[in-house]
Amino acid sequence: MEATCLYLPNRLARLIHLLVTRHLHQPLQLKHIPRNIQRHIAHTSGLQGALPRLRAQEHDVPYLEHLRAVREHLGLISFRTYGTVELARVLQGCCTRHEDMVSILNAAVETLHLQHFELPGFTTLVKVATTVRATINKTIFSQVMGLLEEEGCLQLDRLFEVEADETTSRWNALKLDPKKASLSQLRGILSQLAVLEKLSPSVNLKSLVSRSKFEQFVQEAKSLNRQAMVRLTLMKRYTLAVALLEARRAQLRDDLGTLFVRRMFRIRTHALNLLKDLQEKHQGHTDALIDQLRQVAVLLAAEDQNDVLTKVREAIPKPEDTLLDIDRYLGRTRNNFVPFMMKGYLSHRAALLNFLEGVSVKSTSDNKDLEHSIRFVLEHRSEKDPNLSTFTIDPRFDDVVIVPDVPLGWVPEVWRPFVFQHKGREVWVLQGHPLGLSKLYFEMYVLLHVAWELKSGDLCIEGSEDFANYTQELVTDVEMQAELPLFLEQMGQEGTGAGITRTLKQKLQETARWADARLGFPERSGTRIKGETFTLSRMEAEKEPEGFEGHRQRIVQACINHPSRCWMPCLTLSTCFSSARCSGPFLDFSLS
């Protein structure tokens, strides 16, 4: 492009237009480009001599000529070419994902940049974005209105009514942020959630709009009182009310999930502390058992084996009590805290089971065993028999065929002696399936396992935010295939799996070679690599070179003898350069 610009001012003007348009994706006339930028481009390109004659290029004719050449060189499509129709199409996708105007404009600029479109003027961009956003929001409002049934509309209208014996509406109370939930409020939050479920219509607004739009609707609903909501159009009023109700229900479910997990872990921690206290309390019994074992070992190791059995009986006068003490010791040493959880569980059993009934708990994986166990627990919640049957006999077969009512293979070994028992005895196992359960112990383990799974994300609470199904946030295969070429282009990688792996390995090797050469890795970096273990430790200080201590003492002595020649004279030897705290270097001293 420079070959066609032999005249220096013409060449400088075109270079300025090229650089500015490449960075802004929007052409500007020279009179709108700051003079400092023009001088910088001129000096860096060696065309500073053309600066005094640059004003001649500010007219329309040279500007249009430069603009045509710059667009052709950069491959930009002018706004007059694609027009407001294409701009509205781009903004439609941005307004569908975002509600805040700043986010919409940022997304639109990025999309236009990737499609090599020139950016329109800011006023034009804001005007079209405002129009498109209003159109999309009206479409959303009409969708919500179409999904609401007559009963749902009546429920929403009751939120803005003031009862005769009240001074405010339910809407103003709904807008207030709830207090921080505590463990003692588990029952109260369950009742609040039940009340909101009755007030809320059966519309899932989150499935219709993006997260940012939903949050914006919620914030707008919180900022409007009853009178302001009534003045809105009916469709918008219903949409904002549905958004706030849905957000409040999600917050209550988050609080319930958090309190449930904390309660179950507190019961477990209390049981572990009781077990630890018991172990410390019976430490004397443990020492006595070890002493008896030592006496028996000494008798068996002696050369004289006459009357060994008599001597053993003397060492263990009551073998029945000793066996009982051994069994208790084994129970304590195996860290079996399960029996100690029962007292705490019975105190909160009703509220914990109400939690499972009040919220919908789903598995985020293909394994549904815990969901079946939850349904089994809730179905037998009111039964008074402490022992439950876990099977039915299929009458279609002549032989006895066990059909399990609930999967039990996931119960760990530490819980099996307590869960798989019937009237205090271990149950029979037929065809690989236990034939009975202890109701309370099974409930307790299912609830504890639910708490673990909620914390890890393997279980989710429908309608919750903190305990939502994370798999729904993952990119689908269709979206991945559509966005993969753009991602690879931005990352500068090849479009195949082998190519990506090869590029990453090459970059990793280059980084490793740089670390070896510049940082002395791993010998001088405090790093130890053993197998797959990577350990960082404190680096040892390097040894002082030979003669350095004498050199330092001579500087200290010179500072003491001639304080006027030191930048910052020290008062005592302990604060001088020898302690590495003196910041005043010594001047013009001969250290020979």
Side-chain angles (χ1 to χ4, degrees), residues 476-506:
T476 62
D477 293 338
V478 177
E479 294 174 339
M480 189 271 292
Q481 294 297 335
E483 300 292 339
L484 182 59
L486 179 59
F487 171 77
L488 294 175
E489 180 183 353
Q490 294 177 346
M491 296 297 293
Q493 297 184 1
E494 300 182 23
T496 61
I500 295 174
T501 304
R502 184 166 52 253
T503 304
L504 293 177
K505 282 184 177 180
Q506 182 180 357

Side-chain angles (χ1 to χ4, degrees), residues 522-529 534-541:
E523 290 80 6
R524 292 187 296 163
S525 62
T527 306
R528 289 179 295 165
I529 302 176
F534 182 84
T535 306
L536 288 175
S537 59
R538 185 185 298 274
M539 296 177 60
E540 297 182 0

Side-chain angles (χ1 to χ4, degrees), residues 153-182:
C153 296
L154 294 176
Q155 291 176 350
L156 295 178
D157 290 335
R158 294 191 192 101
L159 293 175
F160 306 101
E161 296 176 355
V162 181
E163 302 294 337
D165 54 344
E166 295 181 356
T167 59
T168 183
S169 63
R170 291 182 178 179
W171 175 256
N172 291 337
L174 184 64
K175 284 180 349 88
L176 299 176
D177 292 329
K179 298 180 180 180
K180 186 177 180 180
S182 61

